[in-house]
Amino acid sequence: MQPPGLPLLGREPEQEVLAEAVSGLTARRPAVVTLSGTAGFGQNALLRWAVGLAEDRGLRVLRARGTPGESDLPYAAVTQLLGPPADAVSADAASTGAASEGPPGCDGPLPGLAELLRTAWDRPTLLAVADLQWLDPDSLHWLQALVRRLPGAPIAVLAGAIGPVPLADALPGPVAVSPLSLVGSPLARPVSPLALGVFRLSLPPLGPAQVAAAVTLVCGGQGQEQFTAVAAEATRGNPAVLHDALRRFADTGHEPADARVPQLRAIVAAATADHATRALRGLPAPAVAVLRALAVCGDLLDFPLVCTLARPRPEYEAGLRETLEATGLTAPGPGAALRLTGPEVRARVLEEMPADERADLYARAAELAHRAAVDDADIARLLLTARPIGAPWAVHVLRRAGADALRAADHGRASACLARALEEPLDREQRAWLSLRLAAVEVLEAPEAGDRRFAAILRSPDADLAGARLRAADLALARGGSDVVRQALTDALPAARGGERSALTALFWLAELGRHDDTDLLLHEVPPLPAHPSSPAQAGARAWQLALLGEDLLTTRALARRAFAGPADEGGLLLPRLAACRALCLADDMDEAGLRLDELLTEARRDHARAAASLVLTGRGDMNLRRGRPDLAERDVAAAERALPHTHLHPLYAPYARAVRILVALESGDRKQTAALMALPDPDATWNTMAGAHLLFARALVDIADGRPVEAIDLLLAAGRRLLRLQYVNPALLPWRSMAARACHALGHDQEAHRLSREELALARRWGAPSAVGWAELGVGRVAREGRAARLREAVRTLRAASDNMAYIGALMELATVELDAGRRRAAEPLIAEVSRLTSAHPGSRPAARARALAQRLGRPPTAAVRGLHPAWAALSDVERRTATLAGLGHGNRDIADMLSVTTRTVELRLSGAYKKLRISGRAELREMVRLMEGYDTDVA
């Protein structure tokens, strides 16, 4: 028999059984057919089809349907079947004074049952009862009694239910058969009149072939293979969900093609959610409570604990699991667990709850999960939606979960955990430190909110929160220091005392050193930095101030080192120590600065201070670029971008970070990256800052490299004006004068070029750092009319003792070019060899390309290395030279120790000293150097 439509698609076996029951009833054979299964599997549609078939054959049909609203009303379903009881009708007639024909009379505890059995002899009767799971207890008892009396009466009972059919106890014999096995079997055709036929049908989900037929029927065309497979998998073969989803898809007008699978999944999810809503409204309150508990913590707790959370009444617990599985909203999980079938079901179950009830349920679930020793991350997920718990363990769990999220780089979740922890009852100190941690994390998600939190901590009046105030100021200014934070810092200074006051003063001036704000009226309210501070924080700030002014190199070094000493509350701040590191870089103590920067980076990463880590990494990248290590500088700026993307940088620091990235890309030979960075829009609002001067300088160097001296001069002079407005004249910071002199010289403006270069040389000598002096001497040599070679040789000698490898490489190339231009090839050869050695580790860099061009002028292949004795080789002691040679020949430290009869520690110390003198970073460069010097002075005998 073909189905009349989709609701009966694939139900041919069940229809055969129902048709047999109806046919048997015309022959006065009683039957009981139960239809059970998941919600939406077509139980009611099959009952309607059987009722129509019986009516067409002239049989008497009585109908009833269980409903949630009548599940507690006695004999509600019986009334639907037979009409109201006779005594109720008589009472109504007496009250109205009218007589009416009443229904069958009342038979004691089973009203109307005897009358039904009697009248059925005259007219065979079909009883169709839908949604049996909602029958009131009295009607169910009445129906069970009828089933027990069916043998001998021409009555057929058809009952459908979601889940198990509650007539099982009344059915004669545990007959459990498959629908397919019933068709054509003796059970399907009882042969003796009045023999009872019992059929228990459990409706299965639709199979692949039936789903494919449904797609063709609803969508008007055959579905492609993947489309059909996804339809079956996503709907779990539920006919109701499938029909609804396919109808919605057909309404879009698209073909059922594989390319439409994502759209189909979205439609199925919506249809499944709507099915969940309908199922929820047809469930008893205890079952709904358990479903809600499953939605909250079913993936964390086993089913008994979920029931403990839902607290259903004892009489409902027995068949609760079967009832829930029959809804189609749940499925068995691992072991004895029960799970919701999908995220859309979970979302819809929770949406149907009032907000306050949902928050309370999450809170109780979190408490239960805590007692069950569930993981912190899972408990925190519950707490994020729960009302405040009011217990200390909740704060501890949220903090631990937040820390785990930070280690996994999930900053959004970390912020949520810490913000939720702040909703719990806390004392002032706990709240301040927790707010501090949250503000540091919010640098990506909500930086303005983080600044407001920092400002609130700074304004807290409690004396015991001094440490929190200092940390808040440090982290806030590391992010850039918004006006809100600066104002809060100024407000906090008058009430501060002792070490806190000195540290806050240092932080304030560090924030002001990088900017020039004509509208700032707050500076007169803050005491100036002392000339020789004893406070570690003020020592770091003062060292950076002196370095920018280019004054007193020895005092600058001493103060910078003092910044790393002292008590933790004053010496543990990041910004003063970072300023001290930058002062050490300008003072040519780059090795010490590098070690300190590594320490600061470790601290910033440990505290998950992304803005501070980005600032440290950018500073280290700048330092590595000065040391002639574009590879390390490139690594640092990439790590800084990962720590805090440039789009999230504060306008005070963004230009400096971009300037370093431009210079790294330029020196690394990455023209594409250089062009991309140059094309970014200029942050006009930051030009009056020191960071803005850095960006102008970097852009000018690109213009010089591209042969645009006019544009370069304008940018360099603009950068100089910014620095002069700030009174920062130290050429070690930005040698804008010598670079402008170079551009002027290219344009023939020799007088201006000489003035600028000599001015820089005078300022560099006043500062006294070898790198600054050597770079200034190089600038003078580049524009000199006479004695250029001598001036360049002086620059090379000065820079050889300095730590600025980039300047040293530039001086070597300038001198080699002059020597080659003068025809002094033998004088140029060792210079080119030195440049080739220093740039061999970075063959793609701009200096390496220039070194290859110089090698070509010597008549050598571009890739050939120039042999010769390294200029610094003679600076090694005999034992260092012997140890370095053995290491360069490929021997390990233990082998070298055995050869020289020393300890491996001695070998390590000798090699470390040799690396520093030779200006190399490791064995790879040492092996290349020894290979190039082979035959000159590498005898280890």
Side-chain angles (χ1 to χ4, degrees):
M1 182 178 297
Q2 294 299 320
L6 183 63
L8 297 178
L9 184 65
R11 298 305 184 210
E12 293 85 354
E14 291 82 359
Q15 288 178 278
E16 292 286 351
V17 174
L18 291 170
E20 189 68 29
V22 172
S23 299
L25 189 57
T26 60
R28 309 182 69 83
R29 290 195 300 268
V32 176
V33 181
T34 63
L35 299 166
S36 63
T38 301
F41 273 30
Q43 297 94 318
N44 291 348
L46 285 168
L47 288 178
R48 287 193 297 270
W49 179 84
V51 165
L53 188 62
E55 289 176 338
D56 291 341
R57 298 188 181 183
L59 297 173
R60 179 190 182 195
V61 177
L62 302 177
R63 302 185 188 91
R65 182 174 184 176
T67 60
E70 295 183 346
S71 60
D72 293 327
L73 184 63
Y75 296 109
V78 175
T79 300
Q80 293 182 51
L81 288 169
L82 306 179
D87 53 353
V89 174
S90 301
D92 183 65
S95 65
T96 60
S100 62
E101 181 177 350
C106 184
D107 298 300
L110 301 171
L113 181 57
E115 181 66 14
L116 173 63
L117 292 171
R118 183 183 63 76
T119 57
W121 283 102
D122 298 327
R123 188 177 180 186
T125 302
L126 177 75
L127 273 70
V129 184
D131 290 330
L132 206 66
Q133 74 277 1
W134 281 113
L135 248 61
D136 61 276
D138 293 317
S139 293
L140 180 60
H141 176 65
W142 185 95
L143 196 59
Q144 290 170 338
L146 171 63
V147 170
R148 285 193 294 269
R149 290 164 172 77
L150 280 185
I155 297 176
V157 177
L158 309 184
I162 296 174
V165 179
L167 288 178
D169 296 338
L171 293 176
V175 181
V177 292
S178 167
L180 294 178
S181 65
L182 288 171
V183 180
S185 71
L187 279 175
R189 293 182 175 85
V191 293
S192 59
L194 306 181
L196 179 62
V198 178
F199 308 106
R200 298 176 178 176
L201 307 182
S202 178
L203 304 183
L206 298 183
Q210 296 158 346
V211 172
V215 171
T216 303
L217 181 64
V218 178
C219 298
Q222 185 175 0
Q224 293 185 351
E225 182 178 356
Q226 186 183 1
F227 183 95
T228 303
V230 169
E233 174 263 328
T235 62
R236 298 175 178 266
N238 189 307
V241 177
L242 178 66
H243 183 213
D244 189 12
L246 291 179
R247 180 182 52 78
R248 297 185 193 188
F249 180 83
D251 290 342
T252 66
H254 297 302
E255 297 293 329
D258 291 347
R260 297 293 178 182
V261 163
Q263 189 174 5
L264 174 65
R265 288 190 182 276
I267 290 174
V268 170
T272 302
D274 292 342
H275 169 75
T277 300
R278 291 191 295 271
L280 281 172
R281 292 169 183 169
L283 285 176
V288 172
V290 174
L291 274 178
R292 290 173 173 177
L294 283 172
V296 169
C297 59
D299 54 340
L300 305 179
L301 304 175
D302 56 23
F303 189 66
L305 284 178
V306 170
C307 290
T308 300
L309 179 65
R311 297 181 293 206
R313 295 201 299 270
E315 60 267 25
Y316 283 100
E317 291 188 12
L320 195 54
R321 187 184 184 97
E322 292 77 8
T323 300
L324 293 176
E325 291 184 7
T327 63
L329 306 182
T330 65
L338 193 66
R339 299 286 186 263
L340 296 182
T341 53
E344 63 279 353
V345 173
R346 177 178 182 273
R348 188 57 60 92
V349 169
L350 294 176
E351 288 170 4
E352 293 292 316
M353 292 186 68
D356 55 343
E357 292 182 18
R358 185 166 57 244
D360 181 71
L361 179 59
Y362 269 100
R364 291 190 290 109
E367 293 175 354
L368 187 59
H370 174 65
R371 293 198 298 269
V374 174
D375 291 341
D376 287 340
D378 293 323
I379 300 176
R381 177 172 61 81
L382 299 174
L383 289 171
L384 290 178
T385 314
R387 58 166 170 73
I389 300 295
W393 65 262
V395 176
H396 298 324
V397 166
L398 287 164
R399 294 190 64 172
R400 290 195 299 266
D404 291 341
L406 284 174
R407 283 189 286 273
D410 188 351
H411 294 85
R413 184 166 183 80
S415 296
C417 289
L418 295 175
R420 173 61 183 82
L422 286 172
E423 297 177 10
E424 295 290 332
L426 298 167
D427 61 38
R428 289 193 302 273
E429 186 171 4
Q430 286 178 318
R431 186 170 298 280
W433 284 104
L434 198 55
S435 297
L436 184 64
R437 186 66 173 270
L438 174 58
V441 175
E442 285 179 327
V443 66
L444 270 182
E445 303 296 326
E448 293 80 8
D451 285 342
R452 289 193 295 270
R453 293 185 195 278
F454 284 134
I457 296 171
L458 280 169
R459 291 192 173 97
S460 59
D462 298 333
D464 54 352
L465 295 183
R469 284 192 291 269
L470 285 178
R471 186 64 173 161
D474 193 32
L475 291 177
L477 295 176
R479 200 190 79 77
S482 66
D483 292 340
V484 172
V485 172
R486 293 173 67 210
Q487 182 62 56
L489 179 58
T490 307
D491 295 342
L493 268 169
R497 296 290 181 268
E500 181 189 1
R501 181 176 178 81
S502 63
L504 287 177
T505 302
L507 290 171
F508 179 89
W509 285 112
L510 279 175
E512 296 303 319
L513 288 176
R515 74 173 81 216
H516 183 275
D517 192 347
D518 295 332
T519 64
D520 192 352
L521 303 177
L522 304 175
L523 300 182
H524 68 280
E525 300 178 8
V526 182
L529 291 171
H532 300 282
S534 58
S535 160
Q538 291 192 354
R542 178 60 176 164
W544 182 230
Q545 186 181 55
L546 289 175
L548 293 173
L549 298 173
E551 299 176 355
D552 201 345
L553 178 64
L554 295 179
T555 300
T556 299
R557 284 173 172 161
L559 289 174
R561 288 167 180 145
R562 189 180 302 166
F564 295 94
D569 57 344
E570 298 181 41
L573 299 178
L574 184 141
L575 276 185
R577 289 182 292 162
L578 178 58
C581 289
R582 298 185 70 180
L584 289 173
C585 286
L586 299 190
D588 269 7
D589 293 326
M590 291 194 185
D591 290 337
E592 183 177 356
L595 291 174
R596 295 300 188 180
L597 285 171
D598 292 344
E599 293 174 3
L600 292 181
L601 181 59
T602 300
E603 290 183 25
R605 284 175 168 167
R606 181 194 63 205
D607 296 337
H608 304 287
R610 295 173 69 91
S614 176
L615 199 59
V616 173
L617 284 163
T618 301
R620 195 172 71 174
D622 190 1
M623 181 196 69
N624 281 323
L625 194 61
R626 291 171 181 261
R627 298 172 77 178
R629 295 301 306 269
D631 56 336
L632 296 181
E634 191 171 11
R635 178 201 65 185
D636 286 334
V637 296
E641 176 71 11
R642 289 192 300 272
L644 190 65
H646 68 276
T647 53
H648 291 77
L649 289 172
H650 191 276
L652 183 64
Y653 294 145
Y656 173 61
R658 182 173 154 203
V660 175
R661 293 175 66 199
I662 289 174
L663 294 178
V664 168
L666 177 65
E667 294 303 323
S668 299
D670 190 343
R671 300 298 295 167
K672 183 177 180 180
Q673 177 69 4
T674 304
L677 291 169
M678 290 285 287
L680 293 176
D682 293 330
D684 294 332
T686 65
W687 286 132
N688 286 332
T689 65
M690 183 168 57
H694 275 276
L695 183 53
L696 290 169
F697 181 80
R699 293 177 64 89
L701 294 195
V702 176
D703 284 339
I704 290 175
D706 291 343
R708 296 192 296 269
V710 176
E711 293 84 349
I713 290 175
D714 291 340
L715 292 172
L716 289 166
L717 294 181
R721 287 193 295 271
R722 270 71 176 169
L723 294 178
L724 290 175
R725 185 180 291 116
L726 293 165
Q727 301 181 14
Y728 301 154
V729 298
N730 191 348
L733 178 66
L734 289 178
W736 60 271
R737 297 176 183 82
S738 59
M739 297 309 298
R742 179 179 176 180
C744 288
H745 181 68
L747 294 172
H749 304 158
D750 291 342
Q751 184 175 359
E752 181 66 8
H754 283 289
R755 184 189 70 79
L756 289 169
S757 60
R758 291 187 178 279
E759 182 180 331
E760 180 165 307
L761 181 59
L763 291 170
R765 285 174 173 166
R766 188 185 78 168
W767 173 237
S771 291
V773 175
W775 183 270
E777 290 174 345
L778 174 60
V780 172
R782 280 172 171 158
V783 301
R785 298 189 185 92
E786 299 177 353
R788 179 177 295 180
R791 291 184 179 277
L792 291 174
R793 290 190 191 100
E794 183 179 356
V796 168
R797 284 194 297 272
T798 303
L799 289 169
R800 184 173 291 154
S803 57
D804 194 331
N805 261 13
M806 190 62 69
Y808 180 48
I809 292 171
L812 287 171
M813 289 192 291
E814 291 287 345
L815 180 57
T817 302
V818 170
E819 299 287 16
L820 285 175
D821 290 344
R824 296 188 289 269
R825 296 169 58 85
R826 291 181 62 84
E829 187 170 335
L831 300 173
I832 298 173
E834 173 73 343
V835 173
S836 298
R837 181 193 65 80
L838 291 173
T839 60
S840 61
H842 321 291
S845 65
R846 193 163 62 111
R850 293 186 61 188
R852 288 192 293 271
L854 291 172
Q856 283 183 315
R857 291 188 62 181
L858 284 174
R860 302 178 182 276
T863 58
V866 183
R867 293 181 178 274
L869 187 63
H870 186 278
W873 191 255
L876 302 181
S877 65
D878 290 340
V879 293
E880 286 176 336
R881 192 181 305 118
R882 189 175 300 113
T883 305
T885 301
L886 290 172
L889 293 175
H891 297 288
N893 287 2
R894 185 175 296 279
D895 293 337
I896 297 173
D898 293 339
M899 293 178 187
L900 301 180
S901 301
V902 295
T903 64
T904 55
R905 178 59 178 163
T906 300
V907 172
E908 293 170 358
L909 292 174
R910 291 178 183 177
L911 288 176
S912 178
Y915 293 158
K916 186 173 182 180
K917 292 178 182 178
L918 297 173
R919 308 166 75 94
I920 60 178
S921 60
R923 283 182 184 264
E925 294 180 58
L926 182 60
R927 284 195 294 269
E928 180 64 17
M929 181 188 300
V930 171
R931 185 183 68 81
L932 293 175
M933 295 190 304
E934 187 175 358
Y936 284 83
D937 187 21
T938 55
D939 186 7
V940 296

